[in-house]
């Protein structure tokens, strides 16, 4: 069993908000994750939602700013928020920019040196972290959903599309929907996968994954602020068009006047937890 070190613990909404650290075999470093455990866990196992955060974020952004615990307590669901990249590796160029390297793992498995040894956030999120949670906390194995914001929304979408039987449902706030066509995504894919290996890029692009999807039915719930200044990076219309072409169910909920911030996320986070609860609690 993985050894967990408790970093913090705070009681809220009848449950407990914890932060733990553990040594990750997949990433080759110590990783932190936040986990909200509702009071129902005192007498039964419950479902779990994984939240993936965006660029420059870590395991604390969602738990400190979104208010998600209130709704998780209402439905009796565990919330797990991992960090967004490996930390403390001191790789060349790892801290040179805010949108690549530390804090910007993009939830891919890198193939380029020096990133390929440690920057394996996709495998960490979809395998190792799930094993850690299942082994150490009172969750129901297999009863899990995934959601995220921005870079983390991209992560949630690709994790669900690449593993159609792993999650019961998926949703995303302002996700990077077509990273191979936007500046943030191109920088990440070139750096982690190689500019000369563009044939690999569609494997990590939700819009491209939709075009080739052949798994069981899956619905994509996309939440987008209409006043988001980064819409030209996010490209939700490309994903929705691809879903229409392939007849994959998709919800695009445009929020008039809302931007890219956690003020926006906090306003609608309850609707997302309720959406996932329909899949997890029935």
């Amino acid at each position: 069993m993985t050894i967990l070190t408790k970093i913090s613990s705070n009681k809220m909404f009848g449950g407990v908000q914890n932060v733990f650290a553990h040594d990750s075999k997949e990433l080759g470093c110590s990783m932190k994750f936040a986990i909200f455990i509702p009071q129902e866990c005192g007498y039964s196992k419950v479902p779990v939602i994984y939240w993936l955060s965006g660029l420059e974020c870590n395991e604390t952004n969602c738990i400190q700013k979104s208010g998600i615990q209130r709704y998780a307590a209402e439905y009796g669901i565990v919330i797990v928020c991992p960090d967004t990249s490996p930390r403390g590796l001191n790789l060349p160029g790892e801290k040179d920019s805010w949108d690549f390297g530390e804090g910007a793992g993009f939830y891919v498995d890198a193939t380029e040196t020096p990133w390929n040894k440690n920057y394996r956030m996709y495998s960490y999120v979809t395998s190792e972290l799930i094993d850690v949670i299942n082994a150490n906390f009172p969750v129901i194995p297999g009863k899990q959903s995934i959601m995220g914001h921005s870079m983390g929304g991209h992560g949630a979408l690709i994790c669900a599309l690449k593993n159609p039987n792993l999650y019961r449902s998926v949703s995303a706030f302002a996700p990077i929907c077509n990273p191979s066509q936007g500046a943030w995504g191109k920088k990440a894919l070139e750096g982690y996968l190689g500019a000369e290996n563009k044939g690999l890029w569609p494997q990590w692009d939700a819009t491209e994954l939709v075009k080739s999807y052949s798994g069981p039915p899956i619905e994509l719930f996309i939440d987008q602020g209409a006043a988001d200044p980064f819409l030209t990076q996010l490209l939700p219309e490309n994903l929705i068009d691809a879903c229409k072409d392939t007849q994959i169910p998709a919800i695009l909920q445009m929020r008039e006047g809302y931007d890219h911030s956690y003020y926006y996320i906090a306003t609608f986070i309850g609707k997302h937890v309720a959406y996932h609860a329909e899949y997890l609690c029935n």
Side-chain angles (χ1 to χ4, degrees), residues 13 16 31 33 41 53 56 60 74 83 92 129 131 158 183 194 203 215 231 245:
F13 295 109
V16 182
M31 287 293 287
F33 65 86
C41 286
S53 289
E56 296 190 283
T60 66
E74 178 182 344
D83 201 351
L129 181 62
D131 289 344
I158 65 169
Q203 300 175 28
L231 275 171
D245 290 342

Side-chain angles (χ1 to χ4, degrees), residues 51-58 84 103-104 107 149-153 262:
W51 168 275
L52 306 184
S53 289
L55 289 165
E56 296 190 283
C57 293
N58 58 32
T84 55
Y107 304 101
H149 170 231
S150 195
M151 177 186 73
Y262 266 89

